[in-house]
Amino acid sequence: RIQILFELMGDRSWCFGFGFGTILAGLCYLNGWVWLPDKLGLDGYALVGLGVTVSIFNYLNEYLLFFPLKYSKFAPDGGVPARLGWFIMYFAPMVVYLISWKYIGAPSSSYDILVMSLYCCHFSKRCLEVIFLHKYSKDCLLESVIQVGSFYSLGAVVTAYSSHVLPDSTARSAFLDDSFRIKFGLGVYSFGQLCNLYHHYLLATLRTPGSFKYVIPKGGLFSLVICPQYLGELLSWLGFSIVGYNFGLYLCYIPMVAYLCARAHHTYRWYQSKFDDYPYSYTLKLWPFVY
């Protein structure tokens, strides 16, 4: 009966995963951990519209597969060396963020430096993983490098504007007054980064040296969800939003929920179709015990 229950949970649609991730952001709002300006201006409405639009596009393209991003196991072999392609995808948003920060006057309050450091730490970690950790079975498509790099770079601009422009200097200095929120957010962020790193390590060590064959992942949280690396990614962005406090960062987190829930769904289906001996028919996709 328990296995049947988990099989039914595994068949849950994207809406369950997206809804749960959105609820987590809603709980942060109810707890007073989301800053909203006293009056939402044109730029604020633009951010809301952009967040909603990107979430809808991620649902249509990544879940319904209208125009899905083609990379990893879901793409043919490309013409860009994989290590170079993935490095560009993760290095570009960090450069865009730093250029944006410099362009808006390089604000350097404790809050500004903290947010910038956490953002750059995330993408620096991903660049280091690309160079030293990940194993690749195929090269990248040039269009995928451009699309993924552009997607993250758009998020970099929104993050920089939301963090360093939308709230004035007085508001930003007050964002650090709640020490519990900061510590809690840093804890969630750090746990997410370690969860992501550990499961990337497990994925990198699955194959024997010289082998490019896909194998069934095991260890860590793979017995609970098929994409624990995505779980860590989302927890990192949620923790980052809690620390950063302002609503614009949550508007970056929610489209990531839409995107990774869709990718997790199709990864789940891919493993089921690829391996006849796939043992995790009752495994969920991303959120333990939920989706």
Side-chain angles (χ1 to χ4, degrees), residues 147-158:
Q147 289 171 342
V148 175
S150 299
F151 175 72
Y152 281 129
S153 295
L154 174 63
V157 173
V158 172

Side-chain angles (χ1 to χ4, degrees), residues 189-211:
Y189 174 88
S190 300
F191 176 81
Q193 294 288 357
L194 291 173
C195 177
N196 180 264
L197 173 62
Y198 177 63
H199 290 95
H200 279 164
Y201 166 77
L202 292 180
L203 288 171
T205 55
L206 285 174
R207 299 170 182 163
T208 57
S211 174

Side-chain angles (χ1 to χ4, degrees), residues 73-93:
K73 60 179 67 68
F74 300 107
D77 200 7
V80 180
R83 209 171 298 277
L84 173 62
W86 282 104
F87 184 84
I88 293 172
M89 290 184 229
Y90 291 133
F91 189 70

Side-chain angles (χ1 to χ4, degrees), residues 28-215:
C28 292
Y29 173 77
L30 294 176
N31 202 42
W33 288 353
V34 182
W35 173 83
L36 290 168
D38 294 332
K39 185 177 181 181
L40 204 61
L42 182 61
D43 52 356
Y45 284 111
L47 287 176
V48 173
L50 181 62
V52 172
T53 300
V54 174
S55 296
I56 292 173
F57 268 90
N58 285 340
Y59 170 74
L60 295 175
N61 292 334
E62 299 302 325
Y63 185 67
L64 298 184
L65 300 178
F66 283 16
F67 300 102
L69 292 176
K70 299 176 181 178
Y71 63 84
S72 186
K73 60 179 67 68
F74 300 107
D77 200 7
V80 180
R83 209 171 298 277
L84 173 62
W86 282 104
F87 184 84
I88 293 172
M89 290 184 229
Y90 291 133
F91 189 70
M94 189 162 52
V95 172
V96 169
Y97 183 97
L98 292 173
I99 291 174
S100 301
W101 172 77
K102 182 68 174 178
Y103 177 78
I104 59 182
S108 55
S109 70
S110 297
Y111 170 81
D112 294 306
I113 297 302
L114 176 61
V115 170
M116 181 173 60
S117 298
L118 292 179
Y119 188 87
C120 291
C121 178
H122 172 80
F123 283 103
S124 295
K125 164 187 163 292
R126 299 308 298 269
C127 288
L128 291 172
E129 288 178 341
V130 166
I131 297 172
F132 298 109
L133 180 61
H134 293 324
K135 303 295 189 297
Y136 305 96
S137 58
K138 61 184 71 172
D139 289 335
C140 297
L141 296 170
L142 177 60
E143 66 181 89
S144 299
V145 175
I146 295 172
Q147 289 171 342
V148 175
S150 299
F151 175 72
Y152 281 129
S153 295
L154 174 63
V157 173
V158 172
T159 300
Y161 185 84
S162 300
S163 302
H164 309 299
V165 176
L166 196 58
D168 59 30
S169 58
T170 302
R172 294 201 303 274
S173 64
F175 286 174
L176 298 182
D177 290 346
D178 188 346
S179 61
F180 177 77
R181 190 196 83 248
I182 299 297
K183 293 176 183 177
F184 185 84
L186 288 174
V188 175
Y189 174 88
S190 300
F191 176 81
Q193 294 288 357
L194 291 173
C195 177
N196 180 264
L197 173 62
Y198 177 63
H199 290 95
H200 279 164
Y201 166 77
L202 292 180
L203 288 171
T205 55
L206 285 174
R207 299 170 182 163
T208 57
S211 174
F212 298 107
K213 183 180 179 181
Y214 281 102
V215 297

